[in-house]
Amino acid sequence: MNSKQLPAEATECLEKFENALSSIEKNLQPLLGVSSRQLESQLKPLERAELHVTLAFAANALFGMYLKTQGVPMAEHPVKRELDRVQMYQQKVERAKFTERPRTGALNVDAANRFITHSIPDLSADQKKRLREINQRERTKSQDQDAKAKTPRQKSITAKEAANAFLEEITAEDSAPVATEGTTPKAKKSRK
């Protein structure tokens, strides 16, 4: 054997290492060509977490490989604890993937109407009465739908739709002059 030649075992290990390193470079190429902010803006929060955990693991694993090439035992080095910590987070992200549920846009109409009632302090008694009637109608509709579907669920409308419907009803009913016994219709006071 020539003194400048490496043993066959060492050559084989170096070839495996070189193949693994080129594979890592090839897989990281799409990430390296894009700014991190641009990449993260395209990802969902769970995908973002997965990216961060994977990058942390890759960086620590590469550093661990470097330490091995320098003859430093990994078992005693702090990078081993860091790798264990990152693996724990990888497991958490995996668990979160299986428990992730899509958010629903269902609106609790009663809660929305309570919010509207309390946020407009100067509702007249008549307006409050009409709001209670609206609540009752919505509750009845919701109960009818639940009875048909045989599953309890809330009416699926957005908060903006509910608020607009409420304001339209109140405005339409409030624009007509209201006369009570022995009084004349009063003009609506404007708030500024």
Side-chain angles (χ1 to χ4, degrees):
M1 177 158 97
N2 191 344
S3 63
K4 291 185 180 183
Q5 260 187 337
L6 291 174
E9 267 182 31
T11 305
E12 187 178 315
C13 286
L14 284 173
E15 285 175 4
K16 285 181 183 178
F17 179 77
E18 188 176 4
N19 289 337
L21 193 58
S22 64
S23 173
I24 290 171
E25 287 175 347
K26 185 178 99 182
N27 289 325
L28 286 178
Q29 201 60 34
L31 298 175
L32 299 175
V34 179
S35 73
S36 62
R37 286 183 189 223
Q38 184 181 9
L39 178 66
E40 287 180 12
S41 69
Q42 299 170 357
L43 299 175
K44 295 177 184 174
L46 189 58
E47 292 171 335
R48 209 174 312 142
E50 189 175 16
L51 173 69
H52 287 281
V53 169
T54 303
L55 289 175
F57 183 80
N60 283 293
L62 287 172
F63 186 66
M65 287 183 214
Y66 168 76
L67 290 175
K68 275 189 173 184
T69 63
Q70 300 302 310
V72 177
M74 281 278 293
E76 299 169 11
H77 200 276
V79 78
K80 173 69 171 135
R81 283 193 312 272
E82 187 65 16
L83 275 170
D84 293 339
R85 188 177 75 85
V86 171
Q87 284 176 332
M88 179 188 68
Y89 282 111
Q90 280 179 325
Q91 291 170 356
K92 285 184 177 184
V93 169
E94 287 300 315
R95 280 194 307 267
K97 277 184 187 178
F98 294 112
T99 60
E100 183 180 30
R101 290 173 290 203
R103 294 181 183 213
T104 61
L107 173 70
N108 184 334
V109 176
D110 289 335
N113 286 328
R114 283 192 305 272
F115 177 79
I116 292 168
T117 302
H118 294 295
S119 65
I120 305 174
D122 55 349
L123 287 177
S124 68
D126 190 43
Q127 289 172 327
K128 289 179 183 178
K129 180 183 173 190
R130 283 183 264 158
L131 182 59
R132 281 193 300 272
E133 290 170 359
I134 293 169
N135 285 342
Q136 185 58 40
R137 276 192 307 242
E138 292 299 324
R139 211 174 294 121
T140 304
K141 284 182 192 176
S142 180
Q143 289 170 352
D144 290 345
Q145 288 175 353
D146 289 345
K148 288 178 185 175
K150 294 186 180 179
T151 57
R153 62 180 179 179
Q154 296 173 339
K155 184 177 179 188
S156 294
I157 61 171
T158 65
K160 186 176 182 178
E161 291 170 341
N164 285 337
F166 167 74
L167 291 174
E168 285 174 11
E169 280 193 47
I170 295 297
T171 305
E173 293 172 359
D174 200 31
S175 63
V178 177
T180 57
E181 269 185 49
T183 63
T184 58
K186 294 182 181 178
K188 208 169 72 167
K189 293 180 183 178
S190 64
R191 275 180 37 189
K192 290 187 180 182

